Every structure is written in C-alpha cells, then in structure tokens.
Amino acid sequence: MQLAGKIKPSPYGPETISLNHGLHFTGGEPFLNYELLCKAVGIAHELKIPSTFVETNCYWCVNDELTRDKLQLLKERGLNGILISVNPFFLEYVPFERTERCIRISQGVFGENLMVYQLEYYRRFKELGIKDRVSIKDYLNLEKRGDFIKNVEFFWMGRAAYKLGRKLGKNFHQYPADYFFNKPCMPSFLRNWHNHFDNYGNYIPGYCGGISLGDCRNLDRLLIEGIRSEEYPVLNFLMDEDLGGLFQFAKDLGYRESQEGYFSKCHLCTDIRKHLVVKKDFEELNPKEFYLHLE
Ligand code: SF4
C-alpha cells in the first residue's frame, strides 16, 4: 500500500487520480487477494480518501467478462482509478494479451483515470509485435542489450542490482563506493509524498525496500514524537544522506567494499545494509526477509 502525501481533498477534483497524492493499493500484486482489495477500497471510500487507485500486473485478466466484472465492482466500491504495470520483467510471466485486455477494459471503466506505467515499454512491445510471454533473455535479444532501460524510469535497487547486474553487468558502468558518497538520494530520502506501508506494518521511505521508519499503525506517535534517530544508527546516517558515514560504520563491523564496484547509490546502500542486517538486529532494517532474497 502506498500513502502519497497528506490526505486532503484532491486539488484535481474528486474523481481524478494523481500518482503522488492520496492512497494507492499496490503489492506484490493486490489482485492476489481480491476480497481484501475490495474491503480496503470500501474503507478508503468511507474515509473519503481521495485519489485511490490500484496497481496491477494484469496476470488475472484471463477473459473480458471476468476482467470487466472485477474492475466494475471495484469502481462501485469507490475506487477512482487504476495503474497498469508494463515492463519486461512482468512480460516474462504475464501474457501481453492480458495486459492489453486490462488496458482496453480499464479505459471503459475508469476513463481518464487509467495510467500505464511505463508507457514507453507498452509502445516498444507494440512496435516489436510482442505476443504472449517473452523471457527477459529473449526480450534483450530483441532490443539492443544496453538500450532496454533508455527513455524509461529504471532503479538499480533491490534485487535488480544483483540479479540483473549479473546478467547485464558488462553493459553498464560500475563505480567505487566513494563515487556515491556525496550524491543525493533521488528523490530525497525524507519526503512527505509517495511513501509506502507494507503488510507487516513498516512505514517505508519512498521506494527504499528493507528500511522501516517505524510502525505505520502508530503514525500519530511517529508524527508527534518523531524518529529518535539516536536509537536507530542506520536510519540516522540515511536521514542525513551520509552514505560515507554509513560505509565507515559498516566497515568497522567488517564490511568489505566490492572490487567490481556498484551500479548506483542504492546498490551500495543496499549492499551495506545486507551486511549490517546479519551483524545486529537493527530495528530500522525491516522486514528481514527483504535481505534474504536479494541474490
Ligand atoms: S541510497 Fe538508500 S536511502 Fe537513498 S534512495 Fe537509495 S535505497 Fe533509499
């Protein structure tokens, strides 16, 4: 689930959705538990939360009737719109016909409140005449290998830096750790828009998987008391955007810099945290499972 910005009447009108405003239901994949999704949408509607939309990879859109029924019911429960994920990573698992079906039917159900993320991949898939599922290996053979992240938003973070890095590393430059020490987080680590809650109750800054600002069920306490940074040394460095400090802190606990280098600041940050999480039970490094599945 994503909470983007402070809850207030939408400046865009009651029915219009915006990416960084209101409340979004995301995953994983929210349609895996459709009943729960309907319930959550209903609660958000009762609470008059604006700009509600669901994100989906369309795996469930096996025929027109079922797709229309599910979307229509969500709309009746109060959902304002939908964001449809289109990228080569889902294309490995979801036949493109299902994605196209969801886009076509969503246009009818939600009208302008349909976002395709990322539109550039949709355009390329159409241009390449993609049908069914395509493995990432085959997709990369269709594109010039290094080009598949050109003109799109792509974050070298989480598993991408490890798994994709192994497959495609040679097409991208890697840098030593100190190259990133003075680079800012993009967007900034602490921001009052587009943050996330996970299903364990972690309040996650931005897209930074594996970092918890605290328990989202105690938001009031978090807002009133703030984050006691002295109790959370990793968070302290990150809130100051002091990656050099975090690097040194981790080195003192046995971290060794990668000789191959790092694709991005987030890659370095994740790698340091992956080391720290097994050294001590840092409360701000949660959920722990995030770190178990990086490689
Ligand atoms: S460097 Fe770390 S804290 Fe900053 S955006 Fe990347 S993952 Fe988040």
Side-chain angles (χ1 to χ4, degrees), residues 58-236:
C58 312
Y59 83 93
W60 53 278
C61 300
V62 291
N63 63 50
D64 281 18
E65 194 186 359
L66 178 134
T67 306
R68 188 169 293 105
D69 286 354
K70 286 197 167 179
L71 294 177
Q72 193 59 46
L73 182 59
L74 285 170
K75 187 172 185 196
E76 282 162 20
R77 294 279 167 99
L79 190 71
N80 297 135
I82 188 165
L83 182 150
I84 295 176
S85 301
V86 185
N87 61 58
F89 311 106
F90 286 132
L91 187 64
E92 283 206 288
Y93 302 100
V94 179
F96 189 48
E97 289 72 17
R98 296 189 192 181
T99 306
E100 291 191 290
R101 174 178 292 123
C102 195
I103 291 173
R104 172 171 48 83
I105 296 177
S106 292
Q107 268 171 337
V109 175
F110 293 109
E112 288 188 355
N113 283 348
L114 157 68
M115 291 187 260
V116 176
Y117 181 77
Q118 304 187 42
L119 202 53
E120 172 62 16
Y121 278 126
Y122 179 77
R123 189 194 65 72
R124 290 189 204 185
F125 292 176
K126 294 294 277 182
E127 200 175 273
L128 291 166
I130 296 274
K131 301 262 181 262
D132 204 358
R133 291 179 289 184
V134 179
S135 71
I136 189 84
K137 194 164 158 251
D138 289 346
Y139 180 71
L140 293 172
N141 287 334
L142 292 172
E143 293 240 24
K144 272 202 248 156
R145 286 172 80 82
D147 277 6
F148 86 108
I149 59 171
K150 277 198 182 143
N151 303 326
V152 296
E153 249 188 333
F154 184 83
F155 303 100
W156 279 112
M157 65 196 313
R159 268 188 300 181
Y162 295 90
K163 296 209 163 172
L164 209 58
R166 266 200 300 278
K167 280 188 189 172
L168 294 172
K170 59 181 180 326
N171 295 297
F172 297 91
H173 201 72
Q174 289 176 266
Y175 302 86
D178 61 3
Y179 175 83
F180 298 106
F181 289 172
N182 295 317
K183 300 244 182 297
C185 291
M186 299 283 279
S188 65
F189 180 72
L190 288 180
R191 59 195 203 216
N192 64 356
W193 52 274
H194 213 131
N195 294 302
H196 299 76
F197 306 145
D198 72 14
N199 50 328
Y200 305 106
N202 295 302
Y203 185 14
I204 306 166
Y207 317 119
C208 308
I211 302 174
S212 177
L213 293 173
D215 191 330
C216 69
R217 289 158 295 195
N218 289 326
L219 263 188
D220 285 348
R221 210 187 110 202
L222 263 179
L223 289 173
I224 293 163
E225 293 179 9
I227 295 161
R228 288 192 295 274
S229 55
E230 63 285 358
E231 289 176 25
Y232 307 107
V234 180
L235 214 45
N236 210 2

Side-chain angles (χ1 to χ4, degrees), residues 234-250:
V234 180
L235 214 45
N236 210 2
F237 287 116
L238 294 175
M239 288 195 297
D240 288 346
E241 297 208 10
D242 179 9
L243 200 57
L246 184 63
F247 178 76
Q248 193 52 54
F249 177 75

